Amino acid sequence: MYKTKVNLKRIISVILLLSLTVFALISSSCQTAGNSNSPTSAQSADQNQQQSQSEEQTTMPEFTPVSGTDYGGYDFRILGYDGQAAGTWQIAAISEIMAEQETGEPINDAIYKRNQQVESLYNITFDIVPVTYPNRGDFATKFTKAVLAGDDTFDAAFMLGYSLPAALSKNNMAYDLKTIPALDLTKSWWDQNSVKSLSIGGKLNAVVGDVNLYSASAPIVIYANKQIMQDYSVGDLYQMVRDGKWTWDVLYDIAKQTTKDLDGDGKITKDDQVGLFTQTAYLQNAVNSAGELITTKNNEDIPVLSQDLDKTAAIVSKVVPILKDSNTSIVGDTITGYNNAYFDFVMPKFRDGGIMFLMQQLMMSFELRSMDADFAILPFPKYDETQTNYGAVTSTYWDTYTVIPATCTDTERTGNILQAMGYYSQQYVTPAYFDVTVTNKIARDTDSLDMLDIIMSNRQYDLSYLYDWGGINEMFVNIMSSGNADTFMSQLEKNQPVIDAAIQKTLYELQQN
């Protein structure tokens, strides 16, 4: 999990303990030199030695390389994004796998440093089986083609979430990661929420970790325009989040307060100052971020349609009127006349103070920073203040998952290398990503860094969203588009046979592995 502040505390603790150890050893040495025959001095030295050993045990690093392992220059190949996209989102020009050289760009250089560490550690080289954005379909195509042919084309894959169901749709396509002893999934560089949520029938074919940089860019967040916050004295939203009071009702009240009819025509359009810009797909994200899953898992870890959907229906009933309120909100899907409405219209409008709240993926912060927009990053609101934690959902169009294909010839080697990649990604890549995300040309927004800790630590994984069983995702989009929140239960009941059949098909395929 992404615990940058925790890691920083750990580093500080190690430094302090090492300092105490050095001081104790120096003190012991001085006492022994002054009276080498003194029982008290000898006892003190022994106590200091025991204290030092205890401190060393306490500060043992979480990652321990496999001693004496040399893979003889092995070419470790990963299927994933190559970072060769041009003229599009900045994140698409970054590969989470490869960095040829240091360029001064923080994330690139962190990936380069990580790779150098792992290559030196185990005597390997990294290589990539490339997919170039936006050719998302290439993930499933290249994965299935290689595995079905029995070709050892790549050792691991950082699979796009959107392509994951298709890639695993045949029997025996990927290893159960839990069966690989070298891959310790309890380590902090693996998102424990993904370990728990993504298993099916006790088997885990995919997991998210610090190696999956794109998954760090994919959470849907709320951007708040700081200039409007100041102009309308909306208060400290960061503290509101910390106090657990950031709810949909609060967002709605502020959105109404900060909406303004600029042209005086009596209606709110995209050309006015709007309280909220959203998308139809975010209704489902609102449900999941409130901790509700359409498919839960039974005692045998088998996904089933939730039998308690009253809370989900209540969330839909609350959120749809907020997102669809034409006096306050604009749905981005309705904006036409642009090659990319968000890139060409929405972001400049947000930068220039025309939008209070903007719902989008975290990767958009790259673009907003380069535009010098002054904004806050906030998690999705709670349903109400009784909700325990803020939840976050990652877009399957951008997030990536670590998968080991069934054609991998040496899972111990692959596990060892992925462990090292995970550790050094946590040390170098994740902090670099966070820093770029929250830093502009003027200042570093440490409050947003706190928000990122909350977001990354509470990512939710709903298998029904990932696998889209029975067209569940489209069902939510249709409810949002129509504004008919009261049809949720009836539509779900109507689609239940199709959903159940789709779950059983997925279960059959994955359980054959």
Side-chain angles (χ1 to χ4, degrees):
M1 294 168 62
Y2 295 81
K3 292 283 191 178
T4 54
K5 292 192 292 184
V6 172
N7 290 337
L8 181 58
K9 291 178 181 177
R10 184 185 302 161
I11 292 169
I12 292 172
S13 297
V14 170
I15 293 172
L16 289 174
L17 285 170
L18 287 175
S19 299
L20 288 171
T21 301
V22 171
F23 176 79
L25 290 173
I26 292 173
S27 176
S28 174
S29 175
C30 291
Q31 290 175 1
T32 303
N35 185 3
S36 59
N37 296 321
S38 168
T40 304
S41 297
Q43 184 181 19
S44 176
D46 183 61
Q47 290 174 346
N48 286 334
Q49 183 179 4
Q50 291 177 359
Q51 179 183 356
S52 175
Q53 291 173 346
S54 175
E55 287 168 349
E56 286 176 0
Q57 292 173 358
T58 302
T59 60
M60 282 289 288
E62 189 178 7
F63 172 69
T64 303
V66 182
S67 179
T69 300
D70 186 329
Y71 291 124
Y74 181 74
D75 188 34
F76 189 78
R77 300 143 299 156
I78 304 175
L79 172 68
Y81 273 135
D82 57 11
Q84 297 302 308
T88 183
W89 305 107
Q90 292 182 42
I91 189 67
I94 298 173
S95 170
E96 59 189 351
I97 299 168
M98 298 294 293
E100 297 297 335
Q101 60 184 3
E102 291 183 300
T103 63
E105 196 285 316
I107 296 176
N108 174 88
D109 291 356
I111 292 171
Y112 180 82
K113 185 176 181 181
R114 175 201 68 191
N115 289 358
Q116 289 285 301
Q117 290 275 13
V118 180
E119 288 177 343
S120 174
L121 181 65
Y122 288 136
N123 188 16
I124 64 167
T125 58
F126 281 109
D127 202 355
I128 187 170
V129 176
V131 174
T132 302
Y133 175 84
N135 301 319
R136 295 186 174 99
D138 285 357
F139 276 99
T141 300
K142 291 187 175 184
F143 187 91
T144 55
K145 181 179 180 180
V147 176
L148 291 175
D151 293 338
D152 181 24
T153 307
F154 42 85
D155 301 276
F158 292 169
M159 292 291 298
L160 184 69
Y162 170 81
S163 296
L164 198 60
L168 301 179
S169 62
K170 305 293 183 182
N171 296 347
N172 301 312
M173 298 299 286
Y175 272 95
D176 176 6
L177 301 178
K178 292 183 177 181
T179 66
I180 302 175
L183 197 65
D184 188 349
L185 298 174
T186 67
K187 296 300 186 181
S188 61
W189 47 85
W190 299 114
D191 182 352
Q192 296 307 302
N193 288 343
S194 75
V195 173
K196 178 181 178 180
S197 300
L198 296 176
S199 65
I200 296 180
K203 296 184 178 181
L204 185 69
N205 293 117
V207 69
V208 175
D210 283 71
V211 293
N212 303 115
L213 173 66
Y214 273 76
S215 286
S217 76
I220 311 301
V221 300
I222 308 290
Y223 295 98
N225 189 294
K226 286 188 175 181
Q227 185 58 56
I228 299 179
M229 289 168 59
Q230 180 178 339
D231 292 345
Y232 286 78
S233 301
V234 301
D236 188 344
L237 297 184
Y238 291 126
Q239 192 58 46
M240 192 175 293
V241 171
R242 295 186 185 102
D243 293 340
K245 299 182 180 298
W246 173 237
T247 65
W248 281 103
D249 289 333
V250 170
L251 179 146
Y252 192 26
D253 287 342
I254 295 174
K256 288 186 287 187
Q257 176 188 348
T258 55
T259 300
K260 187 175 183 180
D261 181 8
L262 297 178
D263 55 18
D265 64 355
K267 58 183 179 180
I268 300 300
T269 68
K270 68 180 183 65
D271 297 318
D272 293 311
Q273 179 175 302
V274 297
L276 176 64
F277 243 90
T278 185
Q279 289 188 30
T280 53
Y282 295 160
L283 172 61
Q284 191 170 6
N285 297 149
V287 169
N288 291 152
S289 66
E292 297 302 308
L293 305 178
I294 303 303
T295 51
T296 57
K297 292 194 286 185
N298 63 20
N299 293 335
E300 297 179 344
D301 198 41
I302 303 298
V304 293
L305 191 66
S306 175
Q307 299 302 301
D308 184 12
L309 291 168
D310 291 342
K311 177 68 176 295
T312 300
I315 296 168
V316 171
S317 295
K318 175 186 285 287
V319 173
V320 168
I322 296 174
L323 302 185
K324 287 288 290 183
D325 186 349
S326 60
N327 294 316
T328 302
S329 306
I330 299 292
V331 179
D333 309 56
T334 64
I335 305 298
T336 60
Y338 298 90
N339 181 48
N340 185 313
Y342 267 81
F343 196 89
D344 299 330
F345 174 76
V346 177
M347 286 194 302
K349 184 176 180 67
F350 179 79
R351 173 200 62 195
D352 297 335
I355 301 171
M356 174 57 201
F357 292 124
L358 170 61
M359 294 181 174
Q360 247 298 338
Q361 291 159 194
L362 189 54
M363 68 174 194
M364 189 172 284
S365 63
F366 284 40
E367 319 299 331
L368 294 172
R369 290 297 181 195
S370 64
M371 297 171 67
D372 285 338
D374 196 9
F375 60 90
I377 298 173
L378 307 171
F380 252 51
K382 293 182 177 183
Y383 170 70
D384 58 28
E385 290 186 28
T386 65
Q387 182 179 322
T388 305
N389 297 314
Y390 296 97
V393 179
T394 59
S395 168
T396 59
Y397 284 92
W398 284 98
D399 59 3
T400 56
Y401 297 72
T402 298
V403 177
I404 298 179
T407 48
C408 175
T409 58
D410 190 335
T411 56
E412 181 181 7
R413 176 180 60 205
T414 296
N416 287 335
I417 292 171
L418 287 175
Q419 284 293 91
M421 287 186 72
Y423 172 73
Y424 287 111
S425 292
Q426 186 184 70
Q427 297 299 305
Y428 303 139
V429 181
T430 300
Y433 171 76
F434 274 9
D435 198 46
V436 168
T437 303
V438 303
T439 303
N440 60 20
K441 296 176 182 178
I442 301 173
R444 188 167 185 265
D445 187 351
T446 55
D447 285 313
S448 283
L449 187 60
D450 289 343
M451 301 299 105
L452 287 179
D453 276 338
I454 293 172
I455 292 164
M456 295 299 180
S457 299
N458 293 286
R459 285 176 295 178
Q460 306 296 314
Y461 300 92
D462 188 342
L463 288 170
S464 69
Y465 175 56
L466 181 62
Y467 285 92
D468 192 22
W469 288 313
I472 288 176
N473 299 346
E474 188 65 22
M475 183 192 76
F476 274 101
V477 168
N478 290 338
I479 291 173
M480 173 63 188
S481 298
S482 67
N484 297 324
D486 57 350
T487 65
F488 167 73
M489 293 296 284
S490 61
Q491 289 197 41
L492 193 64
E493 182 178 349
K494 177 182 177 181
N495 291 339
Q496 182 170 354
V498 180
I499 294 170
D500 289 340
I503 291 174
Q504 289 305 310
K505 183 177 185 299
T506 298
L507 181 63
Y508 173 79
E509 300 294 353
L510 296 182
Q511 290 298 292
Q512 302 308 304
N513 294 350

